Amino acid sequence: MKSKKGELKSSLKSDVIQLVLYDGNYYEEMIPKTAEQRISLPFIKGEFKEYELNVDVSELNEVDLDTETVTDNQKMLRINELKERIDTFVNTFEQNMKVYHQTQHTKWTPENIDNRVKEIDSIVYKENFFDTMSIFDQRRAIENAINRSKSDRSAIQSRISFEKTENERLWKHEIEIHKKYVLGIACIILFFIGAPLGAIIRKGGLGLPLVVAVVFFLAYHFINIGAEQSATRGAIPVWLGAWLGTMIIFPIGVILTYRATSDQGFFDVGGAMDSLFRIFKKKPNKA
């Protein structure tokens, strides 16, 4: 349907929005009932000066804007919602694994395999069974064996991919629970890094302490990203992936706060060089 212009009409007390179209045409395909009609592809085409279309929007009035909807994004969930979601994932995953293990055990149980072997051993062949088959049957047997192997391999790969996806989804929710606490503690630690920097670094005005603080923050941010990705892949525990960046900057904040309160510099270059020279200084030979 297409028109040159249109107009929306409604009122505050009405549950219907009216769309009025002017000077247009419409096209509609008909559902054919016979084979002859299918060949001709019947359709309806017409023109109109004015066409009214009513849209019922009563369902929108029943939406409670004060209620909170649960989203699939774990970052938008609260701690209690994350815990409920994790419990649901764990129960569903364990039930799925239980059914899968029972199915595979029934399929490959030793008793069933022994029965199949006994049935084969009970049949006596004077010559090679494969040689007694025709060329067509031999080819079909080989193709069936190859297809069965590919099917089993595909099923195993699909199962591995499914378990990996479910574990990653579970680990992401667990990481998000830790991050609810990590972010608050990290803000306090970063404050105890930025504030001492302003007192320790006296040269360069406001710019140099700000640059150093930004460098610390970026380092903390990239460490967190790498640790979370490693935890999501299962390379490291979930709690370590969430807390690694905070654990690294915590001693830095303690050291900088101590150096600021004791009126020490950011880094004693002279003392470091003296210590380095003392290490590599040749010791006098004893007579």
Side-chain angles (χ1 to χ4, degrees), residues 3-4 19 32 37 56 69 76 91 102 108 121 134 141 146 152 154 158 169 172 180 193 202 213 256:
S3 65
K4 293 182 179 180
L19 175 61
Q37 291 179 350
D56 185 10
T69 56
M76 304 297 294
N91 294 334
Q102 290 177 351
W108 300 104
D121 293 340
S134 63
I146 294 174
D152 291 341
S154 177
S158 176
R169 184 169 62 166
K172 286 180 179 179
K180 301 295 185 183
I193 290 178
R202 298 179 177 87
L256 292 178

mmCIF file of all heavy atoms in Angstrom, residues 3-4 19 32 37 56 69 76 91 102 108 121 134 141 146 152 154 158 169 172 180 193 202 213 256:
data_model
loop_
_atom_site.group_PDB
_atom_site.id
_atom_site.type_symbol
_atom_site.label_atom_id
_atom_site.label_comp_id
_atom_site.label_asym_id
_atom_site.label_seq_id
_atom_site.Cartn_x
_atom_site.Cartn_y
_atom_site.Cartn_z
ATOM 1 N N SER A 3 0.660 5.743 -0.589
ATOM 2 C CA SER A 3 -0.175 6.928 -0.769
ATOM 3 C C SER A 3 0.707 8.166 -0.804
ATOM 4 O O SER A 3 1.873 8.136 -0.382
ATOM 5 C CB SER A 3 -1.201 7.049 0.360
ATOM 6 O OG SER A 3 -0.540 7.265 1.602
ATOM 7 N N LYS A 4 0.135 9.251 -1.280
ATOM 8 C CA LYS A 4 0.885 10.496 -1.388
ATOM 9 C C LYS A 4 1.059 11.177 -0.035
ATOM 10 O O LYS A 4 2.084 11.782 0.245
ATOM 11 C CB LYS A 4 0.189 11.444 -2.370
ATOM 12 C CG LYS A 4 0.205 10.943 -3.810
ATOM 13 C CD LYS A 4 -0.461 11.950 -4.741
ATOM 14 C CE LYS A 4 -0.434 11.457 -6.187
ATOM 15 N NZ LYS A 4 -1.079 12.435 -7.104
ATOM 16 N N LEU A 19 -5.096 5.752 11.171
ATOM 17 C CA LEU A 19 -4.210 6.199 10.107
ATOM 18 C C LEU A 19 -5.049 6.440 8.856
ATOM 19 O O LEU A 19 -5.669 5.507 8.326
ATOM 20 C CB LEU A 19 -3.118 5.164 9.832
ATOM 21 C CG LEU A 19 -2.176 5.457 8.658
ATOM 22 C CD1 LEU A 19 -1.411 6.747 8.881
ATOM 23 C CD2 LEU A 19 -1.224 4.284 8.438
ATOM 24 N N PRO A 32 -4.204 -18.769 -4.355
ATOM 25 C CA PRO A 32 -4.852 -19.584 -5.401
ATOM 26 C C PRO A 32 -5.424 -20.868 -4.815
ATOM 27 O O PRO A 32 -4.860 -21.476 -3.920
ATOM 28 C CB PRO A 32 -3.703 -19.876 -6.376
ATOM 29 C CG PRO A 32 -2.459 -19.762 -5.555
ATOM 30 C CD PRO A 32 -2.738 -18.733 -4.506
ATOM 31 N N GLN A 37 -5.015 -21.373 -11.269
ATOM 32 C CA GLN A 37 -4.848 -20.070 -10.639
ATOM 33 C C GLN A 37 -3.404 -19.847 -10.169
ATOM 34 O O GLN A 37 -2.921 -18.720 -10.157
ATOM 35 C CB GLN A 37 -5.802 -19.928 -9.454
ATOM 36 C CG GLN A 37 -7.264 -19.841 -9.862
ATOM 37 C CD GLN A 37 -8.182 -19.719 -8.654
ATOM 38 O OE1 GLN A 37 -7.742 -19.887 -7.515
ATOM 39 N NE2 GLN A 37 -9.469 -19.439 -8.912
ATOM 40 N N ASP A 56 -5.212 -0.977 17.031
ATOM 41 C CA ASP A 56 -5.574 -1.106 18.443
ATOM 42 C C ASP A 56 -4.309 -1.071 19.299
ATOM 43 O O ASP A 56 -3.408 -1.896 19.133
ATOM 44 C CB ASP A 56 -6.329 -2.419 18.669
ATOM 45 C CG ASP A 56 -6.846 -2.546 20.092
ATOM 46 O OD1 ASP A 56 -6.779 -1.545 20.833
ATOM 47 O OD2 ASP A 56 -7.311 -3.638 20.457
ATOM 48 N N THR A 69 11.711 -4.882 34.392
ATOM 49 C CA THR A 69 11.791 -6.080 33.570
ATOM 50 C C THR A 69 13.184 -6.671 33.650
ATOM 51 O O THR A 69 14.182 -5.943 33.669
ATOM 52 C CB THR A 69 11.472 -5.754 32.103
ATOM 53 O OG1 THR A 69 12.366 -4.723 31.649
ATOM 54 C CG2 THR A 69 10.045 -5.261 31.970
ATOM 55 N N MET A 76 23.076 -5.809 33.605
ATOM 56 C CA MET A 76 21.931 -5.022 34.040
ATOM 57 C C MET A 76 21.185 -5.664 35.208
ATOM 58 O O MET A 76 20.195 -5.116 35.679
ATOM 59 C CB MET A 76 20.967 -4.821 32.868
ATOM 60 C CG MET A 76 21.596 -4.184 31.647
ATOM 61 S SD MET A 76 22.199 -2.516 31.949
ATOM 62 C CE MET A 76 20.651 -1.673 32.253
ATOM 63 N N ASN A 91 21.213 -25.800 37.627
ATOM 64 C CA ASN A 91 20.231 -26.894 37.687
ATOM 65 C C ASN A 91 19.892 -27.412 36.292
ATOM 66 O O ASN A 91 19.817 -28.628 36.067
ATOM 67 C CB ASN A 91 18.966 -26.419 38.398
ATOM 68 C CG ASN A 91 19.193 -26.107 39.863
ATOM 69 O OD1 ASN A 91 20.097 -26.662 40.488
ATOM 70 N ND2 ASN A 91 18.398 -25.209 40.413
ATOM 71 N N GLN A 102 22.956 -40.641 30.750
ATOM 72 C CA GLN A 102 22.106 -41.840 30.759
ATOM 73 C C GLN A 102 21.879 -42.359 29.342
ATOM 74 O O GLN A 102 21.901 -43.569 29.104
ATOM 75 C CB GLN A 102 20.771 -41.512 31.424
ATOM 76 C CG GLN A 102 20.868 -41.275 32.926
ATOM 77 C CD GLN A 102 19.526 -40.878 33.534
ATOM 78 O OE1 GLN A 102 18.564 -40.622 32.820
ATOM 79 N NE2 GLN A 102 19.473 -40.832 34.853
ATOM 80 N N TRP A 108 25.902 -47.260 24.802
ATOM 81 C CA TRP A 108 27.207 -47.922 24.738
ATOM 82 C C TRP A 108 27.485 -48.786 25.969
ATOM 83 O O TRP A 108 28.635 -49.015 26.317
ATOM 84 C CB TRP A 108 28.321 -46.874 24.619
ATOM 85 C CG TRP A 108 28.194 -46.018 23.418
ATOM 86 C CD1 TRP A 108 27.757 -44.728 23.364
ATOM 87 C CD2 TRP A 108 28.490 -46.375 22.064
ATOM 88 N NE1 TRP A 108 27.759 -44.245 22.088
ATOM 89 C CE2 TRP A 108 28.217 -45.246 21.252
ATOM 90 C CE3 TRP A 108 28.956 -47.538 21.452
ATOM 91 C CZ2 TRP A 108 28.393 -45.247 19.881
ATOM 92 C CZ3 TRP A 108 29.128 -47.540 20.080
ATOM 93 C CH2 TRP A 108 28.853 -46.414 19.312
ATOM 94 N N ASP A 121 29.128 -63.524 16.495
ATOM 95 C CA ASP A 121 29.921 -64.755 16.623
ATOM 96 C C ASP A 121 29.088 -66.004 16.370
ATOM 97 O O ASP A 121 29.629 -67.056 15.993
ATOM 98 C CB ASP A 121 30.541 -64.818 18.029
ATOM 99 C CG ASP A 121 31.591 -63.733 18.233
ATOM 100 O OD1 ASP A 121 32.098 -63.208 17.218
ATOM 101 O OD2 ASP A 121 31.900 -63.404 19.400
ATOM 102 N N SER A 134 28.096 -57.839 -2.798
ATOM 103 C CA SER A 134 28.289 -57.279 -4.134
ATOM 104 C C SER A 134 29.031 -55.940 -4.034
ATOM 105 O O SER A 134 29.164 -55.362 -2.949
ATOM 106 C CB SER A 134 26.931 -57.071 -4.821
ATOM 107 O OG SER A 134 26.149 -56.129 -4.101
ATOM 108 N N ALA A 141 27.966 -50.086 2.323
ATOM 109 C CA ALA A 141 28.391 -50.344 3.700
ATOM 110 C C ALA A 141 29.503 -49.379 4.113
ATOM 111 O O ALA A 141 29.509 -48.855 5.241
ATOM 112 C CB ALA A 141 28.868 -51.786 3.839
ATOM 113 N N ILE A 146 31.176 -44.465 7.042
ATOM 114 C CA ILE A 146 31.769 -43.117 7.033
ATOM 115 C C ILE A 146 30.758 -42.084 7.534
ATOM 116 O O ILE A 146 31.091 -41.209 8.351
ATOM 117 C CB ILE A 146 32.266 -42.764 5.622
ATOM 118 C CG1 ILE A 146 33.437 -43.672 5.231
ATOM 119 C CG2 ILE A 146 32.688 -41.301 5.555
ATOM 120 C CD1 ILE A 146 33.896 -43.479 3.799
ATOM 121 N N ASP A 152 28.667 -39.138 14.380
ATOM 122 C CA ASP A 152 29.105 -39.223 15.785
ATOM 123 C C ASP A 152 30.094 -38.120 16.122
ATOM 124 O O ASP A 152 30.028 -37.520 17.207
ATOM 125 C CB ASP A 152 29.713 -40.594 16.062
ATOM 126 C CG ASP A 152 28.668 -41.698 16.018
ATOM 127 O OD1 ASP A 152 27.469 -41.384 16.134
ATOM 128 O OD2 ASP A 152 29.052 -42.879 15.835
ATOM 129 N N SER A 154 30.329 -35.187 14.648
ATOM 130 C CA SER A 154 29.591 -33.922 14.684
ATOM 131 C C SER A 154 28.794 -33.787 15.974
ATOM 132 O O SER A 154 28.717 -32.692 16.555
ATOM 133 C CB SER A 154 28.656 -33.834 13.475
ATOM 134 O OG SER A 154 27.889 -32.658 13.512
ATOM 135 N N SER A 158 29.391 -30.871 18.670
ATOM 136 C CA SER A 158 28.264 -30.036 19.066
ATOM 137 C C SER A 158 28.077 -30.056 20.575
ATOM 138 O O SER A 158 27.782 -29.021 21.188
ATOM 139 C CB SER A 158 26.993 -30.519 18.373
ATOM 140 O OG SER A 158 25.874 -29.786 18.799
ATOM 141 N N ARG A 169 28.694 -18.716 29.774
ATOM 142 C CA ARG A 169 27.564 -17.920 30.252
ATOM 143 C C ARG A 169 27.491 -17.930 31.780
ATOM 144 O O ARG A 169 27.238 -16.896 32.407
ATOM 145 C CB ARG A 169 26.260 -18.455 29.655
ATOM 146 C CG ARG A 169 25.054 -17.624 30.025
ATOM 147 C CD ARG A 169 23.836 -18.012 29.227
ATOM 148 N NE ARG A 169 23.433 -19.387 29.474
ATOM 149 C CZ ARG A 169 22.252 -19.883 29.102
ATOM 150 N NH1 ARG A 169 21.397 -19.112 28.448
ATOM 151 N NH2 ARG A 169 21.940 -21.142 29.337
ATOM 152 N N LYS A 172 30.378 -15.759 33.209
ATOM 153 C CA LYS A 172 30.119 -14.323 33.044
ATOM 154 C C LYS A 172 29.213 -13.805 34.155
ATOM 155 O O LYS A 172 29.432 -12.697 34.679
ATOM 156 C CB LYS A 172 29.487 -14.053 31.679
ATOM 157 C CG LYS A 172 30.454 -14.158 30.513
ATOM 158 C CD LYS A 172 29.753 -13.867 29.199
ATOM 159 C CE LYS A 172 30.730 -13.948 28.026
ATOM 160 N NZ LYS A 172 30.049 -13.686 26.727
ATOM 161 N N LYS A 180 30.360 -6.351 41.192
ATOM 162 C CA LYS A 180 29.532 -5.448 41.992
ATOM 163 C C LYS A 180 30.306 -4.948 43.209
ATOM 164 O O LYS A 180 30.113 -3.802 43.645
ATOM 165 C CB LYS A 180 28.257 -6.167 42.449
ATOM 166 C CG LYS A 180 27.387 -6.704 41.322
ATOM 167 C CD LYS A 180 26.804 -5.621 40.454
ATOM 168 C CE LYS A 180 25.854 -6.221 39.422
ATOM 169 N NZ LYS A 180 25.306 -5.206 38.489
ATOM 170 N N ILE A 193 45.502 6.292 45.152
ATOM 171 C CA ILE A 193 46.612 6.407 44.199
ATOM 172 C C ILE A 193 46.680 7.817 43.627
ATOM 173 O O ILE A 193 47.749 8.422 43.545
ATOM 174 C CB ILE A 193 46.450 5.375 43.059
ATOM 175 C CG1 ILE A 193 46.673 3.957 43.591
ATOM 176 C CG2 ILE A 193 47.436 5.657 41.924
ATOM 177 C CD1 ILE A 193 46.484 2.882 42.537
ATOM 178 N N ARG A 202 55.515 17.220 42.578
ATOM 179 C CA ARG A 202 55.346 18.665 42.730
ATOM 180 C C ARG A 202 55.693 19.414 41.452
ATOM 181 O O ARG A 202 55.331 20.577 41.294
ATOM 182 C CB ARG A 202 56.218 19.182 43.882
ATOM 183 C CG ARG A 202 55.832 18.583 45.229
ATOM 184 C CD ARG A 202 56.728 19.102 46.343
ATOM 185 N NE ARG A 202 56.308 18.589 47.632
ATOM 186 C CZ ARG A 202 56.702 17.433 48.147
ATOM 187 N NH1 ARG A 202 57.524 16.664 47.440
ATOM 188 N NH2 ARG A 202 56.282 17.040 49.332
ATOM 189 N N ALA A 213 48.209 9.500 36.803
ATOM 190 C CA ALA A 213 47.007 8.835 37.311
ATOM 191 C C ALA A 213 46.244 8.151 36.184
ATOM 192 O O ALA A 213 45.720 7.033 36.359
ATOM 193 C CB ALA A 213 46.117 9.865 38.009
ATOM 194 N N LEU A 256 52.140 4.399 47.692
ATOM 195 C CA LEU A 256 52.057 5.826 47.373
ATOM 196 C C LEU A 256 51.507 6.628 48.543
ATOM 197 O O LEU A 256 51.961 7.754 48.813
ATOM 198 C CB LEU A 256 51.175 6.030 46.141
ATOM 199 C CG LEU A 256 51.740 5.511 44.817
ATOM 200 C CD1 LEU A 256 50.741 5.730 43.688
ATOM 201 C CD2 LEU A 256 53.060 6.204 44.480
#
